[in-house]
Amino acid sequence: MTVDDTGSGADADGREEPPPFPSSLEQGDSDDAESGEHPLALRLEQLILGAERRYTPFQAARSAGVSMELASRFWRAMGFADIGQAKALTEADVLALRRLAGLVEAGLLSEAMAVQVARSTGQTTARLAEWQMDSFLEGLTEPPEPGMTRTEVTYPIVELLLPELEEFLVYVWRRQLAASAGRVVQAADDEEMVDRRLAVGFADLVGFTRLTRRMEEEELGELVEAFETTSADLVAARGGRLIKTLGDEVLYAADDAGTAADIALRLVETMAHDETMPELRVGMAFGTVTTRMGDVFGTTVNLASRLTSIAPRDAVLVDSAFAEELIRTGDAPASEAEAAEAAAEKEGEEPPVYRFALQPMWQRPVRGLGVVEPWLLTRRSDGTP
């Protein structure tokens, strides 16, 4: 489809169709853009956005000084649905377009990067917004006034929480940005800022598919939430970064192998002490990782995932590069025999203290990655707690 200067589009057959532009509405006629919508939904939208609907997509793009094509790319990237030419946009929408386009015009971002910014922000905040609304409404057992429905309670809740949540969101974002900036400036070179050597770990609940057939939906939801919450807290507290959660699996990364190893073993130990939790298995690899939009990619990530699938229950498997890194940093001995020999040679002196032990396992072929040599990682009784 093409978009002309008037904002109308035509397909390959010459038929006119409205230019794409997203929002939470899907109305096709600007005169009745608000028809069929719940009045409370409109009041909530105005409360949250702090402005009334004033613009059609074409009017918003023109006011922001950007083309309809670019405006559509930005808004779709943020995750909003096409609305044709409904009058459903506000001054805030115009300002957002203007800011993104201004970053491109100033040369601070390429157009592709600006779209990535819109997409990553939209994806992250969409999940956050859904979770917040679900959690707030689920927590309401009784309305503040007799006869009020949960829908009617939504407005006063949002009105009270909105300013506080907005401030808190900005605070957390600034904290995370500061931490990320700190990691970037410590990188050895520019290439390492994107393709970095990291320790990557997957933690997976054993037998989760069978559980989904036996447990009620509410019980299953509580189990997944408990697993994700516990994992996120442990990863953060020990200095790792939670990349994403996948229900029965979490993916995390750490700058060094020792930190990642400690996190993995603590996850297994913590879950083992919780009778409500299934057994856990963890796979980890160390090597070059490509980072994009907060996610990690590459052979190292794939290898960690494959090791997880073959790890024994309540155990941690690592690849040979991960084992070598632990040996290099002095976190684990090359072998138990070497550790005993070193202790005997230094009689009367403090023997070296190793945090972890490594046991080589049988080499085995791994789909798509060839033959790998897994190592079983355990915690040494004489190591640092």
Side-chain angles (χ1 to χ4, degrees):
M1 185 190 74
T2 58
V3 178
D4 62 23
D5 291 339
T6 65
S8 63
D11 61 19
D13 298 325
R15 293 191 302 269
E16 292 293 323
E17 65 180 77
F21 210 90
S23 181
S24 57
L25 304 177
E26 294 188 16
Q27 310 291 334
D29 188 283
S30 61
D31 291 332
D32 27 272
E34 296 182 2
S35 63
E37 288 193 74
H38 197 293
L40 181 57
L42 297 175
R43 288 181 60 213
L44 274 169
E45 179 187 285
Q46 186 172 338
L47 170 67
I48 294 170
L49 298 180
E52 296 181 354
R53 300 176 178 183
R54 292 185 55 189
Y55 301 98
T56 66
F58 174 66
Q59 290 169 341
R62 183 173 58 187
S63 296
V66 301
S67 68
M68 271 297 302
E69 181 183 0
L70 183 58
S72 298
R73 289 185 66 197
F74 283 154
W75 285 94
R76 280 180 173 170
M78 282 187 273
F80 302 125
D82 293 352
I83 59 164
Q85 280 301 301
K87 184 174 286 188
L89 304 178
T90 71
E91 288 288 353
D93 298 319
V94 172
L95 182 59
L97 282 175
R98 192 175 295 149
R99 280 175 170 162
L100 277 175
L103 292 173
V104 175
E105 291 173 5
L108 297 173
L109 294 178
S110 67
E111 187 173 306
M113 182 59 69
V115 172
Q116 280 193 5
V117 168
R119 180 169 290 112
S120 61
T121 306
Q123 290 177 356
T124 303
T125 53
R127 184 179 180 188
L128 175 63
E130 290 287 346
W131 178 88
Q132 286 176 335
M133 288 306 299
D134 289 344
S135 299
F136 297 152
L137 295 182
E138 184 180 347
L140 285 173
T141 55
E142 294 182 5
E145 297 291 339
M148 290 185 70
T149 65
R150 178 173 289 187
T151 302
E152 292 169 330
V153 172
T154 304
Y155 189 94
I157 287 180
V158 172
E159 190 173 29
L160 288 171
L161 291 176
L162 183 62
E164 301 300 328
L165 289 177
E166 183 176 11
E167 291 291 334
F168 186 70
L169 176 62
V170 173
Y171 156 73
V172 175
W173 171 72
R174 285 182 178 272
R175 267 289 177 188
Q176 292 287 4
L177 193 62
S180 180
R183 290 190 292 269
V184 166
V185 298
Q186 291 177 31
D189 51 46
D190 288 346
E191 289 187 4
E192 191 179 331
M193 291 166 59
V194 177
D195 297 315
R196 307 166 58 189
R197 286 179 63 78
L198 295 175
V200 178
F202 279 93
D204 178 59
L205 292 175
V206 178
F208 184 76
T209 303
R210 291 193 300 274
L211 282 176
T212 60
R213 292 194 287 265
R214 296 202 317 260
M215 299 179 70
E216 297 290 336
E217 288 186 5
E218 186 173 347
E219 289 180 297
L220 193 63
E222 290 175 355
L223 184 144
V224 169
E225 184 177 357
F227 171 59
E228 292 184 351
T229 300
T230 302
S231 300
D233 288 349
L234 278 172
V235 170
R238 306 309 297 180
R241 297 187 298 285
L242 187 69
I243 304 299
K244 59 186 173 184
T245 59
L246 304 170
D248 62 331
E249 189 174 59
V250 297
L251 168 62
Y252 70 92
D255 293 329
D256 62 273
T259 296
D262 181 46
I263 290 170
L265 292 171
R266 286 181 183 274
L267 282 170
V268 171
E269 293 158 1
T270 301
M271 298 301 171
H273 284 89
D274 188 341
E275 295 181 356
T276 66
M277 281 290 169
E279 294 162 305
L280 191 71
R281 54 190 175 193
V282 182
M284 293 190 294
F286 184 85
T288 302
V289 173
T290 298
T291 60
R292 288 289 187 278
M293 292 177 65
D295 207 343
V296 291
F297 307 92
T299 302
T300 301
V301 181
N302 295 337
L303 180 54
S305 178
R306 299 288 189 273
L307 289 172
T308 306
S309 65
I310 63 174
R313 295 165 182 258
D314 284 339
V316 180
L317 285 187
V318 303
D319 74 324
S320 56
F322 196 107
E324 290 170 6
E325 185 67 11
L326 287 179
I327 294 168
R328 185 188 70 80
T329 57
D331 283 314
S335 68
E336 289 302 312
E338 181 181 304
E341 183 180 338
E345 289 177 354
K346 296 186 177 182
E347 189 174 351
E349 300 179 20
E350 286 293 328
V353 177
Y354 298 108
R355 300 167 62 193
F356 311 108
L358 293 163
Q359 177 185 341
M361 308 290 283
W362 291 105
Q363 291 186 352
R364 63 190 71 190
V366 174
R367 180 168 53 87
L369 297 171
V371 177
V372 300
E373 181 183 6
W375 294 69
L376 181 68
L377 175 76
T378 55
R379 196 185 298 282
R380 289 177 61 90
S381 58
D382 60 345
T384 303

